[in-house]
Short mmCIF file of all heavy atoms in Angstrom, two decimals:
data_model
loop_
_atom_site.label_atom_id
_atom_site.label_comp_id
_atom_site.label_asym_id
_atom_site.label_seq_id
_atom_site.Cartn_x
_atom_site.Cartn_y
_atom_site.Cartn_z
N GLU A 1 0.83 -1.21 0.00
CA GLU A 1 0.00 0.00 0.00
C GLU A 1 0.86 1.26 0.00
O GLU A 1 0.57 2.21 -0.73
CB GLU A 1 -0.95 0.01 1.20
CG GLU A 1 -1.88 1.20 1.14
CD GLU A 1 -2.95 1.19 2.22
OE1 GLU A 1 -3.14 0.18 2.91
OE2 GLU A 1 -3.60 2.24 2.36
N VAL A 2 1.92 1.29 0.79
CA VAL A 2 2.81 2.45 0.82
C VAL A 2 3.41 2.67 -0.57
O VAL A 2 3.41 3.79 -1.10
CB VAL A 2 3.93 2.30 1.88
CG1 VAL A 2 4.97 3.40 1.73
CG2 VAL A 2 3.34 2.31 3.29
N MET A 3 3.90 1.59 -1.19
CA MET A 3 4.49 1.70 -2.54
C MET A 3 3.46 2.21 -3.54
O MET A 3 3.75 3.08 -4.36
CB MET A 3 5.04 0.34 -2.99
CG MET A 3 6.28 -0.10 -2.25
SD MET A 3 6.83 -1.71 -2.87
CE MET A 3 7.46 -2.45 -1.37
N ARG A 4 2.25 1.66 -3.48
CA ARG A 4 1.20 2.06 -4.42
C ARG A 4 0.87 3.55 -4.27
O ARG A 4 0.74 4.27 -5.26
CB ARG A 4 -0.06 1.21 -4.17
CG ARG A 4 -1.20 1.51 -5.12
CD ARG A 4 -2.46 0.72 -4.78
NE ARG A 4 -2.92 0.92 -3.42
CZ ARG A 4 -3.59 2.01 -3.00
NH1 ARG A 4 -3.83 3.01 -3.83
NH2 ARG A 4 -4.00 2.10 -1.75
N ILE A 5 0.76 4.01 -3.04
CA ILE A 5 0.41 5.42 -2.80
C ILE A 5 1.55 6.34 -3.26
O ILE A 5 1.30 7.36 -3.90
CB ILE A 5 0.04 5.66 -1.32
CG1 ILE A 5 -1.30 4.96 -1.03
CG2 ILE A 5 -0.03 7.15 -1.00
CD1 ILE A 5 -1.67 4.86 0.43
N LEU A 6 2.79 5.98 -2.94
CA LEU A 6 3.93 6.80 -3.38
C LEU A 6 3.95 6.88 -4.91
O LEU A 6 4.15 7.96 -5.47
CB LEU A 6 5.25 6.24 -2.85
CG LEU A 6 5.48 6.36 -1.34
CD1 LEU A 6 6.75 5.63 -0.94
CD2 LEU A 6 5.53 7.81 -0.89
N GLU A 7 3.73 5.75 -5.56
CA GLU A 7 3.73 5.73 -7.03
C GLU A 7 2.57 6.54 -7.59
O GLU A 7 2.73 7.28 -8.56
CB GLU A 7 3.70 4.29 -7.53
CG GLU A 7 5.03 3.59 -7.33
CD GLU A 7 4.98 2.08 -7.47
OE1 GLU A 7 3.94 1.54 -7.91
OE2 GLU A 7 5.99 1.44 -7.14
N SER A 8 1.40 6.45 -6.97
CA SER A 8 0.23 7.18 -7.47
C SER A 8 0.42 8.69 -7.33
O SER A 8 -0.16 9.46 -8.08
CB SER A 8 -1.05 6.74 -6.75
OG SER A 8 -1.09 7.26 -5.43
N LYS A 9 1.25 9.10 -6.38
CA LYS A 9 1.52 10.53 -6.18
C LYS A 9 2.80 10.95 -6.89
O LYS A 9 3.28 12.06 -6.70
CB LYS A 9 1.62 10.84 -4.68
CG LYS A 9 0.29 10.64 -3.94
CD LYS A 9 0.39 11.08 -2.51
CE LYS A 9 -0.95 10.99 -1.80
NZ LYS A 9 -1.94 11.93 -2.29
N SER A 10 3.37 10.04 -7.69
CA SER A 10 4.61 10.30 -8.44
C SER A 10 5.75 10.76 -7.53
O SER A 10 6.52 11.66 -7.88
CB SER A 10 4.37 11.33 -9.55
OG SER A 10 3.40 10.84 -10.45
N ILE A 11 5.84 10.13 -6.36
CA ILE A 11 6.92 10.43 -5.42
C ILE A 11 7.99 9.36 -5.59
O ILE A 11 7.74 8.18 -5.30
CB ILE A 11 6.40 10.46 -3.97
CG1 ILE A 11 5.36 11.57 -3.81
CG2 ILE A 11 7.56 10.65 -2.99
CD1 ILE A 11 4.62 11.56 -2.49
N PRO A 12 9.18 9.75 -6.07
CA PRO A 12 10.24 8.75 -6.22
C PRO A 12 10.71 8.27 -4.85
O PRO A 12 10.75 9.04 -3.89
CB PRO A 12 11.34 9.50 -6.96
CG PRO A 12 11.06 10.94 -6.75
CD PRO A 12 9.59 11.08 -6.45
N TYR A 13 11.05 6.98 -4.78
CA TYR A 13 11.53 6.44 -3.51
C TYR A 13 12.52 5.32 -3.79
O TYR A 13 12.55 4.74 -4.86
CB TYR A 13 10.37 5.93 -2.65
CG TYR A 13 9.57 4.81 -3.28
CD1 TYR A 13 9.86 3.48 -2.99
CD2 TYR A 13 8.53 5.08 -4.17
CE1 TYR A 13 9.13 2.46 -3.57
CE2 TYR A 13 7.80 4.06 -4.75
CZ TYR A 13 8.10 2.75 -4.44
OH TYR A 13 7.38 1.73 -5.01
N GLU A 14 13.33 5.07 -2.77
CA GLU A 14 14.33 4.00 -2.83
C GLU A 14 13.89 2.91 -1.87
O GLU A 14 13.51 3.19 -0.73
CB GLU A 14 15.69 4.57 -2.40
CG GLU A 14 16.78 3.54 -2.28
CD GLU A 14 18.06 4.11 -1.67
OE1 GLU A 14 18.19 5.34 -1.57
OE2 GLU A 14 18.92 3.30 -1.29
N LEU A 15 13.94 1.67 -2.34
CA LEU A 15 13.62 0.54 -1.48
C LEU A 15 14.89 0.03 -0.79
O LEU A 15 15.93 -0.12 -1.43
CB LEU A 15 13.02 -0.60 -2.30
CG LEU A 15 11.62 -0.35 -2.87
CD1 LEU A 15 11.22 -1.47 -3.81
CD2 LEU A 15 10.61 -0.21 -1.75
N VAL A 16 14.78 -0.22 0.51
CA VAL A 16 15.90 -0.79 1.27
C VAL A 16 15.37 -2.07 1.92
O VAL A 16 14.52 -2.02 2.80
CB VAL A 16 16.41 0.19 2.35
CG1 VAL A 16 17.59 -0.42 3.09
CG2 VAL A 16 16.80 1.52 1.72
N ASP A 17 15.86 -3.21 1.44
CA ASP A 17 15.39 -4.52 1.90
C ASP A 17 16.15 -4.94 3.16
O ASP A 17 17.34 -5.20 3.11
CB ASP A 17 15.58 -5.55 0.79
CG ASP A 17 14.99 -6.91 1.13
OD1 ASP A 17 14.47 -7.08 2.26
OD2 ASP A 17 15.05 -7.79 0.26
N ILE A 18 15.44 -5.00 4.29
CA ILE A 18 16.11 -5.35 5.55
C ILE A 18 16.41 -6.85 5.66
O ILE A 18 17.14 -7.26 6.54
CB ILE A 18 15.31 -4.89 6.79
CG1 ILE A 18 14.02 -5.68 6.94
CG2 ILE A 18 15.08 -3.39 6.76
CD1 ILE A 18 13.40 -5.59 8.32
N SER A 19 15.86 -7.65 4.74
CA SER A 19 16.10 -9.10 4.83
C SER A 19 17.49 -9.48 4.33
O SER A 19 17.89 -10.63 4.47
CB SER A 19 15.02 -9.87 4.06
OG SER A 19 15.14 -9.65 2.67
N VAL A 20 18.24 -8.52 3.77
CA VAL A 20 19.58 -8.85 3.26
C VAL A 20 20.59 -9.04 4.39
O VAL A 20 21.65 -9.61 4.17
CB VAL A 20 20.11 -7.80 2.26
CG1 VAL A 20 19.22 -7.73 1.03
CG2 VAL A 20 20.27 -6.44 2.89
N GLY A 21 20.27 -8.56 5.59
CA GLY A 21 21.20 -8.76 6.69
C GLY A 21 20.76 -8.03 7.95
O GLY A 21 20.03 -7.05 7.89
N ASN A 22 21.26 -8.53 9.08
CA ASN A 22 20.93 -7.93 10.37
C ASN A 22 21.36 -6.47 10.46
O ASN A 22 20.69 -5.67 11.12
CB ASN A 22 21.57 -8.71 11.53
CG ASN A 22 20.79 -9.96 11.87
OD1 ASN A 22 19.62 -10.09 11.52
ND2 ASN A 22 21.44 -10.88 12.57
N GLU A 23 22.48 -6.13 9.79
CA GLU A 23 22.98 -4.76 9.87
C GLU A 23 21.94 -3.78 9.34
O GLU A 23 21.75 -2.69 9.90
CB GLU A 23 24.27 -4.56 9.07
CG GLU A 23 25.28 -5.67 9.07
CD GLU A 23 24.92 -6.85 8.17
OE1 GLU A 23 24.56 -6.67 6.99
OE2 GLU A 23 25.00 -7.98 8.67
N VAL A 24 21.29 -4.14 8.25
CA VAL A 24 20.31 -3.24 7.63
C VAL A 24 19.09 -3.10 8.54
O VAL A 24 18.56 -2.00 8.72
CB VAL A 24 19.90 -3.73 6.22
CG1 VAL A 24 18.93 -2.76 5.57
CG2 VAL A 24 21.13 -3.90 5.34
N ARG A 25 18.64 -4.21 9.13
CA ARG A 25 17.50 -4.15 10.06
C ARG A 25 17.84 -3.28 11.26
O ARG A 25 17.04 -2.44 11.69
CB ARG A 25 17.07 -5.55 10.50
CG ARG A 25 15.82 -5.51 11.40
CD ARG A 25 15.32 -6.88 11.80
NE ARG A 25 16.30 -7.58 12.60
CZ ARG A 25 16.84 -8.76 12.28
NH1 ARG A 25 16.48 -9.36 11.16
NH2 ARG A 25 17.71 -9.33 13.07
N GLU A 26 19.04 -3.48 11.81
CA GLU A 26 19.45 -2.69 12.97
C GLU A 26 19.61 -1.22 12.61
O GLU A 26 19.30 -0.34 13.42
CB GLU A 26 20.74 -3.25 13.57
CG GLU A 26 20.57 -4.65 14.19
CD GLU A 26 19.38 -4.74 15.15
OE1 GLU A 26 19.20 -3.83 16.00
OE2 GLU A 26 18.61 -5.72 15.05
N GLU A 27 20.08 -0.94 11.40
CA GLU A 27 20.19 0.45 10.92
C GLU A 27 18.81 1.10 10.89
O GLU A 27 18.62 2.22 11.36
CB GLU A 27 20.81 0.46 9.53
CG GLU A 27 20.79 1.80 8.82
CD GLU A 27 21.23 1.67 7.37
OE1 GLU A 27 22.38 1.21 7.13
OE2 GLU A 27 20.44 2.01 6.48
N MET A 28 17.81 0.38 10.35
CA MET A 28 16.44 0.89 10.29
C MET A 28 15.93 1.17 11.70
O MET A 28 15.38 2.25 11.96
CB MET A 28 15.52 -0.13 9.61
CG MET A 28 14.05 0.24 9.63
SD MET A 28 12.93 -1.12 9.20
CE MET A 28 12.98 -2.11 10.70
N ARG A 29 16.12 0.24 12.61
CA ARG A 29 15.62 0.40 13.98
C ARG A 29 16.33 1.54 14.70
O ARG A 29 15.70 2.30 15.43
CB ARG A 29 15.78 -0.92 14.74
CG ARG A 29 14.81 -1.97 14.24
CD ARG A 29 14.99 -3.30 14.91
NE ARG A 29 13.89 -4.19 14.55
CZ ARG A 29 13.86 -5.47 14.84
NH1 ARG A 29 14.87 -6.04 15.49
NH2 ARG A 29 12.83 -6.20 14.48
N SER A 30 17.63 1.66 14.47
CA SER A 30 18.39 2.73 15.10
C SER A 30 17.92 4.09 14.60
O SER A 30 17.67 5.01 15.38
CB SER A 30 19.88 2.54 14.80
OG SER A 30 20.62 3.65 15.25
#
């Protein structure tokens, strides 16, 4: 839903997949 709404409003965004490693998940949480 977030992706759909951003796209419908023509708002560019970058996806960051936290499943690639614990460091990325911890970065998001921090």
Side-chain angles (χ1 to χ4, degrees):
E1 185 174 349
V2 171
M3 289 180 215
R4 182 184 56 77
I5 291 168
L6 291 174
E7 287 165 9
S8 74
K9 294 186 176 293
S10 299
I11 297 171
Y13 61 95
E14 174 188 347
L15 290 173
V16 181
D17 186 357
I18 68 163
S19 68
V20 298
N22 280 341
E23 322 77 49
V24 182
R25 183 177 64 239
E26 293 310 315
E27 171 188 301
M28 174 194 75
R29 289 177 170 171
S30 172

